[in-house]
Amino acid sequence: EDQKEGLGQEVSKKRPRETPNYFVSIPITDDQILDRIEDVQELIFTKEPDLLRALLPVQTMHLTIIVAHLGTEEEVKKAVLALKQSKTKVEAILHGKDLNMTFHGIGQFNNQVIYVKMLEEDQKMLSRIAEAVEQCFNEMNLDISGSKDFKPHLTFLKLSKAPRLKRRGFKKICSDLYKEYEDSYFGTEVFSQIDLCAMRKKKQESGYYYCECSINVGSSGMEESKEQ
């Protein structure tokens, strides 16, 4: 561990921190979860129409594992390889069992980011999976220094998406806007896929991010991973 720390420091001395342009994520596609999120968004919009621009489209719902700065095509290829290599590790953690990700209740960061919470007990296994993926990216010497500690949450409203609001003095999102759902069950997603997505490339027709590569994991992912 100490060795790793030392390495990390050397790396950060060598290169300035670049803004992340890619992220590794778990897509959320369960209709019940997405419908519930839309219900909350509608409720917020009804009470506070100005917040429309701060709402995130449900087609983009995902849990972020890590963010990366991939400056060259070469690095993107390495990242694709890192993700593919993580498949074996992830499946070893899953042990052939399904991992259910249950979403319940609403949380916030600084009253500026509003998200759906994931049940604590489902997070432990997911944290181990996130660590495995992170390890593969580190082994490829990729820049994931912008990543924060893995705390699975589904962001559906972000004040920073609507900078104009901030200028007009909109600094906080009041919890009264969503209190009806504050302790609601949103649904359960079976973990089955990890994506490497580009932040700045044009989104897919479905509205989801541009994927460089996806791996299928879990019981449904026994067939070969598909490459986009």
Side-chain angles (χ1 to χ4, degrees):
E1 206 53 76
D2 287 344
Q3 232 177 340
K4 217 161 75 180
E5 296 269 50
L7 276 176
Q9 280 154 359
E10 275 168 44
V11 171
S12 59
K13 269 183 215 150
K14 267 196 305 221
R15 54 180 171 205
R17 188 107 148 238
E18 300 273 7
T19 318
N21 56 351
Y22 280 83
F23 61 98
V24 177
S25 64
I26 298 166
I28 301 297
T29 55
D30 179 80
D31 285 336
Q32 183 186 357
I33 298 173
L34 301 182
D35 287 348
R36 280 316 273 276
I37 290 176
E38 279 192 324
D39 291 345
V40 183
Q41 290 182 329
E42 238 162 78
L43 177 72
I44 291 172
F45 171 67
T46 313
K47 295 183 181 181
E48 194 58 85
D50 281 349
L51 284 172
L52 181 64
R53 281 174 183 281
L55 298 171
L56 277 73
V58 293
Q59 296 83 345
T60 63
M61 287 299 136
H62 64 277
L63 301 172
T64 305
I65 296 180
I66 46 176
V67 296
H69 174 77
L70 308 174
T72 61
E73 263 316 301
E74 203 42 54
E75 287 186 340
V76 174
K77 281 185 186 143
K78 274 177 147 183
V80 167
L81 200 57
L83 183 60
K84 287 182 174 173
Q85 286 175 349
S86 71
K87 182 178 161 85
T88 325
K89 288 185 175 169
V90 171
E91 298 201 320
I93 294 168
L94 288 172
H95 263 315
K97 292 190 185 74
D98 276 340
L99 168 57
N100 291 324
M101 304 183 291
T102 306
F103 293 93
H104 190 116
I106 292 178
Q108 47 80 20
F109 297 130
N110 300 329
N111 292 313
Q112 298 190 354
V113 173
I114 313 296
Y115 60 88
V116 182
K117 295 194 280 200
M118 191 170 144
L119 279 194
E120 289 282 335
E121 54 263 35
D122 297 348
Q123 291 186 24
K124 292 189 185 76
M125 183 88 103
L126 211 52
S127 294
R128 287 176 56 201
I129 287 168
E131 267 168 40
V133 174
E134 196 172 326
Q135 203 183 341
C136 290
F137 272 70
N138 278 327
E139 283 164 8
M140 286 282 184
N141 220 346
L142 293 162
D143 177 9
I144 55 168
S145 57
S147 303
K148 298 183 176 72
D149 287 343
F150 178 62
K151 290 192 181 74
H153 60 279
L154 271 189
T155 302
F156 63 84
L157 192 156
K158 231 184 192 165
L159 263 190
S160 61
K161 263 200 85 205
R164 240 183 250 164
L165 284 183
K166 264 191 153 153
R167 290 199 290 274
R168 288 191 2 222
F170 224 118
K171 301 233 178 357
K172 279 197 163 109
I173 295 156
C174 175
S175 62
D176 287 353
L177 293 175
Y178 52 83
K179 68 171 183 293
E180 291 90 321
Y181 287 94
E182 217 157 8
D183 197 29
S184 278
Y185 169 70
F186 278 77
T188 300
E189 171 98 19
V190 181
F191 170 57
S192 64
Q193 189 176 324
I194 305 178
D195 297 329
L196 171 66
C197 298
M199 291 181 191
R200 308 209 178 100
K201 288 189 179 174
K202 191 174 184 301
K203 288 194 173 79
Q204 300 177 34
E205 267 178 33
S206 65
Y208 190 64
Y209 296 93
Y210 178 90
C211 275
E212 295 289 348
C213 168
S214 296
I215 57 167
N216 294 99
V217 286
S219 51
S220 57
M222 290 309 172
E223 76 277 17
E224 256 316 275
S225 301
K226 61 174 190 297
E227 224 194 301
Q228 301 274 345

